[in-house]
Structures are given as C-alpha cells and as structure tokens.
Amino acid sequence: MTGAVQKRWLGFVQEHATIYDDDFVPGSKILAIGGAEQSHVNLAHPEEVFYEYLARIANHLRVLREPSEPLRMLHLGAGALTLARWASVVFPASTHVAVDIERELLDFVLTQLPLPSNCSLQAIVADARDVLANQLDGQKFDVIIVDIFSGPEAPEHLTVPEYYSELSAALDDQGLLFINIGDDPPLAFTDRQVAAAQQNFAFVMLSSSPEMFSRRYPGNLILTASKQRLDGSSIAQCQAAGPFPSEIKHSLGLDRFGKP
C-alpha cells in the first residue's frame, strides 16, 4: 500500500473506513470498512469496473439499455459510488440518488473521491427501506441497485417479500432491479431472496460464475428482476457479456432457488 491513507470513523457500524491507493491499478482507490475491502474506484477511468459482481451489473445494463439513453438510477447502499461514476461515462446525462444509512461514509467518499464533473447525484442519509416510503416523493426509477445484502447477516426488513414489493413500486414499468447477494453454502439466503423477488416481479434471473450454482462455494450472485419478461436473446447477451466464466439461470432454471 503506497500513498496517504485517509481514515474516518463510522458511527453507525462502529468501524473505521479507510481509502488508499490500489498499487496494481494506477489512478485507482480502494474503500475498506473495518479492514475489509468494500469498493474499488478508478478515478482516472471511471468506466472501468474492477470488482466482478459490479462489472456483471454494468455489463447487464450495457445489454439491456441503450447507452444514449439517460437513466434515473437509485443506489441503495452507496459504497464508493462505483456504478454512478461508471454510468456518468457510459450513460451520460443520467441522474442518481444514492442512499446510505452511514452519514460519515457518504461525506467521506464524496470528499476524498470526488465524482466526475458531469455526475448528477443526490445523496440521502437514510435506511434503505424507509427512504422508499418517506423520502423519494413518489419518484420512479429506471434502475435500482441494491448493494447491502450480506447473507443471513443482512437486516431482515431488507430481505422480505414486502421490501421487494416496495422496490417494484419505485421502478418504472420498464425498470430493472439489480441486487448483489453475498452468500455461503448451501445458498439458503439466496433461495429466500429469489422466492421474495418472484412474488413481486414478472421475471427474475441469477447470474454468477458457474461454480456458484453448485451451492458448494461462498461468493456473490447478481439477482436481476423486472416487471417485463426478458427475451432469450437479451438473456444470452447478458451471459456472453461476462465477466467470465459466466452463467445465468432463470425461469425453470430457478426452480430450486425459488423453494427455500
């Protein structure tokens, strides 16, 4: 680790957040909380997404939305705002609302890792469920990204079917929901999230590396949900977009996952 290390105490989680140089990717910074890496940002090239699970969301969006189309994006769980920065290049003129319950984290990130000049972002300090009911004034979004789940330790009120119903209500009819799910074998938490999503969306798919679907390894899966069914060509293009290796399961392929 080279260069100055910036540090901030986070009152909600009672841990230190640190920001430091990535020695292997020039111009990049890493955000860690409690010593665990949380986010990676390439300040010189925000269109480059380093973490595999975030790159999977970015690649799905490249397939499912036209780059010339500005998006209204809601980020629940702000982190280092990696995908807001990415979208400022790939989907210019998009607008962003970023929500995090940790006031100090939002301030720390925005101070130490300035956003691209063309990134239009509103930051809100709030619970990721409460904000839907009380602080968005009925706004509808084209894309909602939820990056707060961490297996069974995730706050229960953010994992139940009622929450998925509220997320659906905040999406435009053509909108897309992306949820990063971190889980351990045998992926029982993922089962519950798929079942909750299927109760509230017409289409649900999971994407990850193939070994995750064996249920024998810990890791991240991306749940994608929409009110409209995705056609087979779009699904195949999402899988082909990577990162590699890449596998997608949907419809009948999710039968096991929808039955916790």
Side-chain angles (χ1 to χ4, degrees):
M1 188 187 303
T2 60
V5 177
Q6 305 298 326
K7 184 178 288 189
R8 179 76 63 87
W9 178 252
L10 306 181
F12 185 81
V13 297
Q14 295 289 292
E15 298 275 8
H16 273 106
T18 53
I19 293 174
Y20 51 89
D21 292 340
D22 179 349
D23 295 337
F24 300 101
V25 184
S28 295
K29 298 282 188 177
I30 293 170
L31 167 69
I33 298 177
E37 292 186 7
Q38 298 289 328
S39 300
H40 183 281
V41 171
N42 189 332
L43 294 175
H45 296 283
E47 73 278 8
E48 297 180 4
V49 180
F50 185 78
Y51 284 177
E52 181 180 293
Y53 79 91
L54 290 176
R56 225 173 269 286
I57 296 174
N59 290 346
H60 286 1
L61 264 175
R62 282 182 184 269
V63 169
L64 300 174
R65 291 293 180 268
E66 292 293 331
S68 59
E69 172 190 356
L71 299 174
R72 298 163 296 170
M73 299 182 68
L74 174 62
H75 307 260
L76 298 174
L81 302 169
T82 303
L83 289 181
R85 300 168 194 273
W86 167 84
S88 71
V89 177
V90 180
F91 293 90
S94 293
T95 57
H96 305 270
V97 176
V99 178
D100 205 286
I101 201 167
E102 190 70 69
R103 180 182 302 276
E104 292 89 349
L105 179 62
L106 278 169
D107 179 70
F108 185 47
V109 166
L110 292 171
T111 300
Q112 299 298 329
L113 304 174
L115 294 172
S117 59
N118 68 327
C119 185
S120 173
L121 184 137
Q122 175 190 5
I124 298 177
V125 177
D127 173 81
R129 186 167 178 183
D130 179 71
V131 72
L132 296 175
N134 298 315
Q135 298 191 45
L136 295 177
D137 299 322
Q139 291 182 64
K140 298 284 187 179
F141 296 91
D142 302 303
V143 177
I144 298 178
I145 298 169
V146 182
D147 192 8
I148 47 181
F149 286 179
S150 183
E153 297 178 1
E156 183 178 359
H157 70 295
L158 303 180
T159 67
V160 294
E162 292 80 6
Y163 184 48
Y164 282 85
S165 174
E166 292 162 12
L167 290 167
S168 176
L171 276 172
D172 185 81
D173 286 344
Q174 302 297 319
L176 294 166
L177 170 68
F178 297 101
I179 296 183
N180 171 41
I181 302 176
D183 205 359
D184 296 311
L187 304 189
F189 177 71
T190 303
D191 286 333
R192 294 195 298 273
Q193 299 318 297
V194 169
Q198 288 175 328
Q199 290 182 42
N200 292 283
F201 289 88
F203 179 83
V204 177
M205 72 181 187
L206 281 180
S207 53
S208 191
S209 53
E211 68 267 16
M212 284 301 298
F213 293 103
S214 73
R215 296 177 178 262
R216 296 198 302 266
Y217 303 96
N220 293 78
L221 304 98
I222 297 303
L223 185 153
T224 303
S226 65
K227 299 177 184 180
Q228 312 293 330
R229 297 195 64 81
L230 300 186
D231 60 72
S233 174
S234 296
I235 297 168
Q237 288 179 60
C238 283
Q239 180 165 314
F244 302 106
S246 177
E247 185 170 346
I248 287 178
K249 291 190 178 294
H250 65 96
S251 305
L252 293 178
L254 281 180
D255 272 4
R256 239 184 111 195
F257 285 90
K259 296 177 175 64

